[in-house]
Amino acid sequence: MHEVNLSKPDKVLFPSGDGGNAITKADLFEYAGRIAERMVPLIGDRPAVLQRFPDGIDGDGWYQKHTPKHFPDWIPTVELPKRGGGTVRHPVIDSADALQYVVNQGTISVHVLGGSVSRPDVPTELLIDLDPSIDDPLQVVEAATAVRELLDELDVVAFVKTTGSRGLHIHVPLRGDAGFDAVGALGHHLGALLARRHPDLLTVEFSKADRGDRLFVDTLRNAPAQHAVAPYTLRPLPGAPVAVPLHWEEVGSAWTPDATPLRSLFRRLGSLGSDPWEDIDAHRIEASAIAERLTDAGDSSVP
């Protein structure tokens, strides 16, 4: 245990709006302490990127990849190569104390890289980001259903979370038999097959001009140095939405992107029968096995 002293507890980080009260630094500090038992086991071995807003979400914010010199030495770090040369030393949020410390430094969102601290070049998961072009939650639900149907066909167990913004993230936990090139290629093939099966709903076109109203199946985060919002982290948006793991049964017609703001998160967690991601490690699968099954499902482009 390490002592973390909260400074400026009354500083407003999320202004009041939509009938809600302002959310202060003390509120986020308390949240970090309470959510750590769920959040830290999911991110405690992953290099992190901090999205910091010291003056609140209405002020300037930035992504902090390199660990500042003033961070205490009890927060672990991992040094990774940087594109273009050099290295970057990422923090590792491996405890409730570390989570509260970075909150006290003005961190709103914690992002994590795809690899682990011990094997940074080997993805721990395949991530499918459902990125809508229009504000239509039912389209996102329909897209998530299409992804799950394909993964069920491949006998692959996936886990879903809201991004805290408009879309959903679908996570396939991997056993660690393949590097980023292979996992990135696998993600591309999954996305392409989904777009072929659902051409009016889904697209893998990177250019927004080419997407129209279709939802972008984004698998580009399955690459070195790419990062994604961590489970249970807050997003720097009005209302303090949370990127929260869901049961698949919750991804239905009643789902909306703002369904779980900070103010109601613990009430929701208390009403659940179980942790939606409690058995994620039990369902890890080799990327090569998914590739073989994908070929059998009709994607002849898979090597």
Side-chain angles (χ1 to χ4, degrees), residues 9 44 53 68 102 230 252:
F53 289 82
V102 298

Side-chain angles (χ1 to χ4, degrees), residues 63-146:
Y63 287 101
Q64 180 88 56
K65 293 184 178 181
H66 194 79
T67 306
K69 292 181 179 180
H70 68 268
F71 271 36
D73 58 11
W74 52 262
I75 294 181
T77 61
V78 57
E79 189 170 5
L80 300 178
K82 184 168 56 175
R83 284 179 296 183
T87 60
V88 57
R89 185 167 288 282
H90 291 269
V92 181
I93 311 303
D94 69 340
S95 66
D97 294 338
L99 188 58
Q100 287 191 313
Y101 182 88
V102 298
V103 165
N104 193 51
Q105 297 297 307
T107 297
I108 300 292
S109 292
V110 176
H111 293 231
V112 289
L113 275 65
S116 65
V117 171
S118 60
R119 303 184 71 191
D121 297 328
V122 178
T124 64
E125 62 184 5
L126 186 152
L127 178 63
I128 300 173
D129 179 3
L130 301 181
D131 183 8
S133 300
I134 57 176
D135 289 319
D136 183 358
L138 288 178
Q139 183 195 56
V140 180
V141 170
E142 188 177 354
T145 301

Side-chain angles (χ1 to χ4, degrees), residues 181-281:
D181 286 347
V183 173
L186 176 59
H188 169 77
H189 293 307
L190 283 168
L193 180 56
L194 285 161
R196 290 199 299 272
R197 288 187 175 187
H198 306 276
D200 296 328
L201 172 66
L202 306 175
T203 181
V204 290
E205 294 288 348
F206 180 76
S207 171
K208 291 184 178 180
D210 295 330
R211 298 178 196 173
D213 289 344
R214 294 174 297 173
L215 182 143
F216 179 42
V217 182
D218 183 1
T219 61
L220 300 175
R221 296 180 192 271
N222 300 296
Q226 293 294 312
H227 52 85
V229 292
Y232 296 109
T233 198
L234 292 167
R235 303 302 305 278
L237 297 169
V242 181
V244 63
L246 303 173
H247 287 291
W248 274 105
E249 292 73 18
E250 297 178 272
V251 185
S253 60
W255 177 80
T256 60
D258 57 353
T260 314
L262 173 60
R263 292 296 189 192
S264 64
L265 176 67
F266 287 106
R267 183 165 62 250
R268 173 191 177 273
L269 295 180
S271 69
L272 293 177
S274 60
D275 181 343
W277 285 21
E278 65 181 354
D279 60 345
I280 191 168
D281 286 334

